Amino acid sequence: MAWWRLRRRRQEPEPAVEEAPTPSGPPADPLDLLPEQQRPAGGLGVQLQAGDLVRPTLEEPHAPVLWLSRGPAEAGAWAALRTQHPRTGLWPLLLHGLGSGEHEQRPWAVGELNPPAEYSVPGEHSAEAVLAEWWRWHDWEDPDFLDDAAPYGPTWPGLAPELPLREDPDQAADAHAEELLVSPEPRPRLGLVAAARGADALTAVGWNGPGQFEWDTGKLSSVVRSWEDRFGARVVGVGFASLHLSVAAPPRTWEEAMAIAAEHVTANQEHTLMRPYAPDLIGAASWRLWWD
């Protein structure tokens, strides 16, 4: 962390973990996340496990932002729902909690989301401008960071070039979803968010995983949008402060990887070293970013 000059870093204490209400009654219909006039004819198009609608906070009266399964996500469900997204407008997410035990439901079911209106609209930002702003936050007076960032310097180098697809982005996302389902326990739960694309779902659900670094998730969504466009990335899973993306156009050379590593390090405070990190991106079919 010494190599970063982070702004907007909050020093608030960890919130007390509230007891989430035990789901009761009939399962909720995720289409209720949509205005009535936007609900597709023919319903969801997928046989869905039981779940409930979640509001961003437990105290204040806000509209639901998330449909959350009561149990772990079932195999194949993410891909089936992703296929229906152009018709339903509901983007699926595999949602990991903060560890296990009493923290497993954080942040999704215990009122630790934010009303989306508190964030900016992703489409109002340029990913180039957002990354250039964050680039200035690096500690360019630290000689070690200067060595690590070479050949880059204090002047923002611009976006990494778009790369050719090596596979279909949707098929890559479906495969990564199945990989996340076999991750160590506890298995992720299934979520649905009303959003035009996966990047926007991060803002629409009120996620604040990067809040120690950048409070406005709308800015991060704009960057992830750009990764979707340039690298065939898709938002598949989200944790308390982690993000899981599939990648259909990974870098093939060290130079291509270094350009992407510069963006990851700039957007993600945990990746503090560009040069050791860049080789891991070569040919990688998925990216995992996380924040404190």
Side-chain angles (χ1 to χ4, degrees):
M1 296 298 295
W3 291 355
W4 290 83
R5 185 178 65 239
L6 301 181
R7 301 193 301 186
R8 294 194 187 179
R9 187 172 182 85
R10 298 182 299 155
Q11 300 297 329
E12 302 168 6
E14 283 289 323
V17 179
E18 299 190 49
E19 186 71 24
T22 301
S24 60
D29 184 350
L31 292 178
D32 288 341
L33 291 169
L34 302 168
E36 188 171 354
Q37 64 273 18
Q38 294 181 13
R39 296 173 192 173
L44 191 64
V46 174
Q47 187 68 34
L48 201 59
Q49 63 195 103
D52 301 280
L53 297 181
V54 177
R55 300 176 186 275
T57 71
L58 299 182
E59 310 85 19
E60 302 175 25
H62 292 284
V65 294
L66 170 69
W67 176 92
L68 180 66
S69 66
R70 292 179 180 176
E74 298 173 349
W78 192 95
L81 290 163
R82 192 272 310 156
T83 301
Q84 295 295 323
H85 172 258
R87 189 179 63 84
T88 66
L90 297 174
W91 185 262
L93 297 172
L94 295 177
L95 300 175
H96 301 260
L98 181 62
S100 58
E102 66 175 334
H103 295 288
E104 184 179 348
Q105 299 196 71
R106 298 181 65 191
W108 313 110
V110 294
E112 289 188 288
L113 302 171
N114 289 323
E118 293 185 1
Y119 297 143
S120 61
V121 177
E124 294 178 347
H125 299 287
S126 155
E128 173 103 34
V130 171
L131 285 166
E133 175 192 0
W134 293 345
W135 186 260
R136 293 192 294 271
W137 297 1
H138 288 307
D139 187 358
W140 293 107
E141 297 179 358
D142 188 317
D144 290 331
F145 185 81
L146 280 169
D147 288 344
D148 175 65
Y152 307 123
T155 300
W156 163 241
L159 295 177
E162 179 179 353
L163 296 177
L165 294 174
R166 298 180 63 177
E167 59 181 313
D168 179 83
D170 292 332
Q171 292 180 5
D174 295 347
H176 189 45
E178 294 307 300
E179 292 172 354
L180 291 178
L181 288 181
V182 297
S183 61
E185 297 288 345
R187 290 181 58 181
R189 295 163 79 176
L190 182 64
L192 283 167
V193 182
R197 54 199 294 177
D200 293 3
L202 304 175
T203 300
V205 78
W207 181 59
N208 190 34
Q212 295 277 28
F213 169 66
E214 170 60 71
W215 176 255
D216 184 1
T217 301
K219 291 184 176 181
L220 178 66
S221 285
S222 74
V223 173
V224 177
R225 274 184 168 204
S226 184
W227 293 342
E228 290 175 338
D229 295 339
R230 286 180 287 142
F231 311 118
R234 296 291 183 266
V235 175
V236 179
V238 189
F240 182 84
S242 61
L243 180 60
H244 301 263
L245 306 172
S246 62
V247 183
R252 299 157 297 179
T253 66
W254 187 89
E255 290 76 12
E256 291 175 347
M258 187 62 178
I260 296 173
E263 295 188 17
H264 284 197
V265 169
T266 297
N268 177 355
Q269 66 185 34
E270 286 300 313
H271 291 313
T272 54
L273 293 172
M274 296 184 199
R275 299 178 73 85
Y277 172 59
D280 294 338
L281 298 175
I282 298 175
S286 63
W287 295 339
R288 177 179 178 266
L289 290 83
W290 69 97
W291 294 261
D292 279 342

